Amino acid sequence: MSDIGSGDEGISSQKYHGQGMDAGGNNFDSGQQPQEQELATKMLQIQSKRFYLDVKQNRRGRFIKVAEIGADGRRSQIFLAMSTAAEFRDHLSSFSDFYSSLGPPNPESVPDDGKLKSEMMLKDNRRYYLDLKENSRGRFLRVSQTITRGGPRSQVALPAQGMIEFRDALTDLLDDFGTDDGGFKGELPEGRHLRVDNKNFYFDIGQNNRGIYMKVSEVVPSLQVKSNFRTAITVPEKCWTRFRDILADYCDKMNRAHAEPADHHQPGAAPPAARAASAQPARDTNAGGAPLCPQEAFAGSAPRI
């Protein structure tokens, strides 16, 4: 059976140019690459394709990078958290059993989309779609990784005959390094709620492969539709202190502004300089306390004639 390519599935793989990715599947330049350590690697030759399974570790924890290199040198890759890799291994067993139960390929019985069996895995903000497919070149397992916040889809295509070999290699790595993703293991604080007028604010603490974060949601009743309107921001834990300091600085400035005299902003009130001048006693007066005329003021202490 000939090699199964991934380029004919509507999403072309990209040539590898030395760029790295983090466990979330995001590109980063070499100058911005986080400290990353490769713990182990395995290489599989399945038909004319090579597959690399690399166990890596960075400050966010451990993960497995699966890279597919075709006969033409084109490369595609996906990233699996250790717990997701364990789930993927179990799916490989069920897909392999299903594949073994299939008869010889029959073009007349293949579904229009070519899918024979499908599963989906969910991890934090990523979804993985597993599709056992059949086309004119044979049967293969396509594994696609998507990120909910958008961005390109990455995928690898594994010839069906190699699923058991791939599963066994993945099992060896998981036996050596476990299925723990790493990261924070303590108990996260409970969420908080704040109501101001007709608005509701919710503060929720969560964790994903990138670390701990705070999600601040604002819920406002909508007049156009029956449901409420919600917006949210996400603040990583590493900048909570700075976020707090900026908010505290604004609170201090507004407290000082509210503490100023009430007439400072009233219409028709004299400007501060005029009020300060009127509050000072007259410095040029005569013996009776009356202000001096211009000539007297100019004469200073000279006796009057």
Side-chain angles (χ1 to χ4, degrees):
M1 185 179 298
S2 61
D3 180 36
I4 306 298
S6 58
D8 61 325
E9 302 304 323
I11 305 172
S12 60
S13 58
Q14 297 177 347
K15 284 191 176 180
Y16 181 66
H17 294 293
Q19 279 188 323
M21 288 190 175
D22 66 7
N26 298 313
N27 289 327
F28 51 75
D29 296 329
S30 58
Q32 301 174 342
Q33 180 172 344
Q35 186 176 1
E36 188 174 277
Q37 179 183 6
E38 184 172 295
L39 304 179
T41 185
K42 282 183 176 290
M43 193 275 287
L44 303 176
Q45 183 76 40
I46 302 176
Q47 295 184 359
S48 60
K49 290 184 177 182
R50 283 178 293 146
F51 292 89
Y52 290 90
L53 285 72
D54 301 326
V55 180
K56 293 179 174 289
Q57 178 173 304
N58 59 23
R59 59 183 177 84
R60 297 169 184 162
R62 290 179 179 175
F63 61 96
I64 294 180
K65 180 178 74 174
V66 179
E68 169 199 344
I69 301 180
D72 59 355
R74 295 174 68 87
R75 177 188 181 108
S76 56
Q77 55 193 5
I78 61 173
F79 296 82
L80 304 168
M82 302 302 287
S83 59
T84 308
E87 184 180 355
F88 179 43
R89 173 198 57 194
D90 296 339
H91 280 304
L92 283 173
S93 295
S94 63
F95 272 93
S96 179
D97 292 341
F98 178 81
Y99 170 70
S100 300
S101 67
L102 297 176
N106 183 0
E108 297 181 357
S109 62
V110 177
D112 293 338
D113 58 2
K115 294 181 181 180
L116 305 175
K117 176 180 173 61
S118 297
E119 295 288 349
M120 192 268 287
M121 302 186 300
L122 179 64
K123 175 65 175 178
D124 297 329
N125 66 331
R126 290 166 306 202
R127 293 178 182 269
Y128 299 87
Y129 298 94
L130 315 179
D131 299 308
L132 182 63
K133 304 189 69 175
E134 180 177 335
N135 60 18
S136 59
R137 292 183 288 176
R139 294 166 176 164
F140 61 97
L141 178 66
R142 186 183 68 180
V143 184
S144 304
Q145 172 187 336
T146 64
I147 303 176
T148 55
R149 64 177 178 272
R153 172 181 296 192
S154 55
Q155 69 177 28
V156 296
L158 174 65
Q161 299 96 322
M163 288 191 294
I164 291 295
E165 183 181 358
F166 193 98
R167 182 203 62 186
D168 292 343
L170 192 58
T171 299
D172 290 342
L173 294 175
L174 292 173
D175 288 344
D176 291 340
F177 297 96
T179 60
D180 185 7
D181 299 330
F184 181 74
K185 298 296 187 300
E187 184 177 354
L188 298 176
E190 294 184 0
R192 302 286 296 273
H193 168 239
L194 172 65
R195 181 176 178 84
V196 181
D197 298 330
N198 68 329
K199 293 184 178 183
N200 288 281
F201 296 92
Y202 296 90
F203 301 81
D204 298 299
I205 309 301
Q207 181 180 10
N208 57 24
N209 66 301
R210 297 179 176 275
I212 298 173
Y213 62 89
M214 176 191 299
K215 183 174 72 172
V216 183
S217 305
E218 174 190 359
V219 180
V220 183
S222 177
L223 300 179
Q224 288 76 19
V225 294
K226 295 182 179 180
S227 60
N228 294 331
F229 179 73
R230 177 187 292 263
T231 59
I233 62 171
T234 301
V235 185
E237 182 193 17
K238 62 183 178 181
C239 67
W240 285 1
T241 301
R242 179 58 179 157
F243 196 89
R244 177 202 62 192
D245 292 343
I246 293 175
L247 186 60
D249 182 60
Y250 279 120
C251 290
D252 291 341
K253 289 180 178 179
M254 291 308 301
N255 286 337
R256 290 195 297 268
H258 288 305
E260 293 181 359
D263 63 345
H264 180 73
H265 300 290
Q266 292 181 356
R275 294 201 305 269
S278 63
Q280 295 180 358
R283 289 176 295 179
D284 298 323
T285 60
N286 57 20
L292 296 176
C293 65
Q295 292 83 354
E296 291 175 323
F298 181 79
S301 59
R304 298 179 63 187
I305 301 176

